[in-house]
């Protein structure tokens, strides 16, 4: 299991992974026999690794083959096993692997490192190493397929009058265009600023949803300006004291 940040999942990363795994025993070179001895053909199965059982049934003779228990299907037995691996040909050791995580991988996906898994018994071929990937949740970006979703908070005044706020994408700072009269929920789509397609070319999009913030902690001057604004547009607003009282309540409540 390799834990990745969203940035590492998007751009790829090289990681060292250290784990305990079965490797060929150095003492017997993976063959399982004590030095100076060799494995001999299994007398039980004559080296075939399987036993044939003949059964009589109403349909005639039925021949079944089962793995030989004496040699565990290997066809040979070790009369004098290697003391270090007890005849298995493998020992558990700590190994460090270099894992190249490609750009665009997702949480829960698996990388297969061909031939870098545990050694096979008695000098058999090594298996594959499967590395499970976990991508930690990001504070700012939520992934959906190969698109990334984020929020951009702008003030009520910026939304009404327009602004050019900056936004930190995974590729760097971008200047966004907030047009006048922008509403909450407005979507700005930055093409190709999402997650690379792990198969094939190109990247997903960065989808930024605008959230218009209600102004808080108004100064006296701002309070007066907004009351003039309300009067200008004929809006009914709370009495002047109420805002002050609410602030006092939250400060002491
Ligand atoms: Zn050994
Ligand atoms: Zn056998």
């Amino acid at each position: 299991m390799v834990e990745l940040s969203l940035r590492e999942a998007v751009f790829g990363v090289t990681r060292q992974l250290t784990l305990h795994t079965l490797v060929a025993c150095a003492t017997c070179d993976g063959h399982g026999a004590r030095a100076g001895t060799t494995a001999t053909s299994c007398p039980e199965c004559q080296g075939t690794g399987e036993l044939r059982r003949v059964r009589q049934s109403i349909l005639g003779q039925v021949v079944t083959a089962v793995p030989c228990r004496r040699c565990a299907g290997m066809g040979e037995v070790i009369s004098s096993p290697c003391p270090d691996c007890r005849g298995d040909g493998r020992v558990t050791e700590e190994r460090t692997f270099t894992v190249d995580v490609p750009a665009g991988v997702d949480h829960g996906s698996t990388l297969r490192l061909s031939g870098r898994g545990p050694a096979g018994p008695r000098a058999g071929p090594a298996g594959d190493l499967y590395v499970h990937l976990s991508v930690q949740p990001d504070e700012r970006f939520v992934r959906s397929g190969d698109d990334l979703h984020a929020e951009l908070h702008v003030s009520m005044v910026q939304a009404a009058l327009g602004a050019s706020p900056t936004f930190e994408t995974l590729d760097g700072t971008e200047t966004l265009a907030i047009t006048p009269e922008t509403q909450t929920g407005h979507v700005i789509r930055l093409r190709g600023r999402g997650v690379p397609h792990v198969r094939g070319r190109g990247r997903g999009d960065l989808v930024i949803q605008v959230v218009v913030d209600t102004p808080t902690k108004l100064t006296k001057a701002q309070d007066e300006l907004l009351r003039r604004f309300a009067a200008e547009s004929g809006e009914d607003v709370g009495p002047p004291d109420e805002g002050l009282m609410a602030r006092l309540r939250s400060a002491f409540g």
Side-chain angles (χ1 to χ4, degrees):
M1 169 87 104
V2 168
E3 286 230 335
L4 305 167
S5 68
L6 177 70
R7 175 177 288 276
E8 289 170 329
V10 168
F11 294 117
V13 68
T14 299
R15 279 289 189 81
Q16 304 295 317
L17 179 63
T18 300
L19 44 88
H20 286 89
T21 187
L22 287 169
V23 298
C25 171
T27 311
C28 62
D29 208 19
H31 292 284
R34 185 187 286 268
T37 71
T38 51
T40 50
S41 184
C42 173
E44 189 86 21
C45 61
Q46 282 83 43
T48 61
E50 57 181 34
L51 294 176
R52 289 174 170 275
R53 295 239 170 80
V54 180
R55 222 159 28 86
Q56 296 296 333
S57 79
I58 51 167
L59 299 170
Q61 282 195 347
V62 179
V63 181
T64 52
V66 293
C68 173
R69 286 166 107 181
R70 171 103 181 251
C71 63
M74 312 278 300
E76 42 184 38
V77 287
I78 292 169
S79 47
S80 180
C82 164
D84 287 349
C85 62
R86 295 190 206 88
D88 182 52
R90 303 177 293 179
V91 289
T92 300
E93 274 183 16
E94 197 175 79
R95 282 289 151 92
T96 298
F97 298 92
T98 300
V99 182
D100 284 314
V101 180
V105 294
D106 203 354
H107 179 76
S109 55
T110 302
L111 293 180
R112 186 169 70 107
L113 276 63
S114 180
R116 290 164 80 185
R122 296 197 203 159
D128 298 334
L129 176 63
Y130 290 90
V131 180
H132 298 287
L133 302 176
S134 166
V135 182
Q136 290 159 331
D138 191 81
E139 282 183 359
R140 298 179 57 226
F141 299 101
V142 175
R143 181 172 178 166
S144 167
D146 283 340
D147 288 343
L148 292 175
H149 291 258
E151 282 185 350
L152 169 69
H153 287 258
V154 298
S155 76
M156 183 191 76
V157 182
Q158 288 175 313
L161 303 179
S164 305
T166 57
F167 188 87
E168 285 302 320
T169 73
L170 289 175
D171 297 87
T173 307
E174 299 248 3
T175 301
L176 303 180
I178 298 295
T179 52
E181 302 180 10
T182 290
Q183 307 289 336
T184 285
H186 174 70
V187 166
I188 299 168
R189 183 177 282 266
L190 299 182
R191 302 216 176 264
R193 287 281 178 267
V195 183
H197 306 307
V198 83
R199 287 179 192 82
R201 291 154 168 274
R203 291 171 65 176
D205 299 336
L206 174 56
V207 181
I208 301 171
Q209 194 159 36
V210 174
V211 179
V212 179
D213 289 333
T214 303
T216 57
K217 300 187 179 76
L218 297 175
T219 64
K220 196 167 186 301
Q222 286 172 325
D223 186 280
E224 283 168 10
L225 284 167
L226 285 178
R227 284 179 192 287
R228 279 172 58 194
F229 180 91
E232 176 70 22
S233 44
E235 291 174 59
D236 183 27
V237 294
D241 286 343
E242 206 162 81
L244 178 67
M245 290 309 291
R247 259 174 282 151
L248 287 175
R249 269 198 301 276
S250 68
F252 295 104

